[in-house]
Amino acid sequence: MQQVQLAIELVELGARIQVLESETELSRARLLKLYKEVRGNSPPRGMLPFSTDWFVTWLPNIHSSLFYNFYLQLTLVHGCQRMDGFVKAYRMYLEQMQLDGAEPVLGLTRAWTLLRFFESELLELMPCQSCGGRFVVHAHTPGQDFVCGICAPPSRAGTARRAFEGHHGERILPAAGLKVSGPAVGSPADVSGHIRGLSASRP
Ligand SMILES: [Zn+2]
């Protein structure tokens, strides 16, 4: 059954129980049981702690922007349904981190919160005036002089930035629009083309 499959996939990727309750029609009891079966322990209790601010701090912002560009590409360009696109985009994000030898900063539950913040128009994408990539910002951020965290990293970010770039200079996210590589997404040029196309077609 599709709902169960989705729930299992989400739990495997690290979803908290609130995500499952929102995105499936399965009962809480069923979800708890499922969660225990997949993870081998009970889900953590409590509310989701995330605010929009986390997504606009330097390194989380780069990761969040990459993930959300994947999501838009899958849903708007490739026609994936919302949750299908979400799960695929999250897998692409993890794959990209693996290719870059970087630690994933964006957990699945956070990625889902990000999606919800976009859907409630608390966050939006803003083109970087330097590289043209589109990055997550608070809604209603003035955009005239916006420069992203890759083009203008904070000085203390040097070490983290190198770690993020890994040993493949060409695999940093940056320049012509959040370049990404990997079998699922075509060439970097294709992707930056898609992202620019998206920015042209969205209000
Ligand atoms: Zn930039």
Side-chain angles (χ1 to χ4, degrees):
M1 184 187 162
Q2 222 175 354
Q3 296 263 315
V4 174
Q5 188 52 42
L6 174 63
I8 290 172
E9 253 187 301
L10 289 170
V11 172
E12 281 172 351
L13 289 168
R16 289 182 60 170
I17 206 81
Q18 288 96 333
V19 179
L20 306 174
E21 286 184 308
S22 295
E23 300 299 342
T24 71
E25 281 148 29
L26 304 174
S27 70
R28 188 176 170 83
R30 182 89 195 271
L31 289 172
L32 286 167
K33 189 162 174 281
L34 209 82
Y35 188 101
K36 270 190 183 170
E37 279 169 14
V38 175
R39 306 289 294 200
N41 52 28
S42 298
R45 289 168 192 279
M47 301 293 289
L48 298 178
F50 314 125
S51 80
T52 52
D53 291 340
W54 187 85
F55 298 102
V56 299
T57 55
W58 178 71
L59 192 59
N61 184 255
I62 296 172
H63 285 244
S64 302
S65 301
L66 177 67
F67 164 78
Y68 197 70
N69 276 288
F70 281 149
Y71 172 77
L72 287 184
Q73 190 195 343
L74 287 163
T75 52
L76 298 184
V77 179
H78 297 287
C80 289
Q81 297 293 311
R82 176 174 171 276
M83 279 317 281
D84 184 37
F86 173 79
V87 169
K88 285 189 173 135
Y90 193 71
R91 289 194 188 284
M92 283 168 72
Y93 164 71
L94 292 181
E95 272 170 32
Q96 189 63 37
M97 291 305 100
Q98 206 169 23
L99 285 172
D100 291 341
E103 280 296 309
V105 167
L106 182 73
L108 179 122
T109 300
R110 274 194 159 122
W112 178 78
T113 312
L114 176 74
L115 180 62
R116 299 285 296 246
F117 283 147
F118 269 96
E119 288 169 349
S120 15
E121 299 180 358
L122 293 171
L123 292 173
E124 57 191 34
L125 286 180
M126 175 79 71
C128 168
Q129 297 301 311
S130 173
C131 67
R134 303 205 315 151
F135 291 82
V136 177
V137 295
H138 283 125
H140 312 301
T141 300
Q144 301 303 337
D145 316 313
F146 175 72
V147 177
C148 78
I150 294 172
C151 295
S155 53
R156 65 179 170 75
T159 314
R161 188 186 191 199
R162 277 194 298 279
F164 186 72
E165 287 171 359
H167 33 266
H168 305 288
E170 76 280 10
R171 284 213 180 108
I172 59 175
L173 299 180
L178 283 178
K179 272 183 190 168
V180 288
S181 57
V185 295
S187 74
D190 289 344
V191 174
S192 59
H194 283 322
I195 292 169
R196 276 197 293 276
L198 291 172
S199 59
S201 66
R202 283 170 68 84

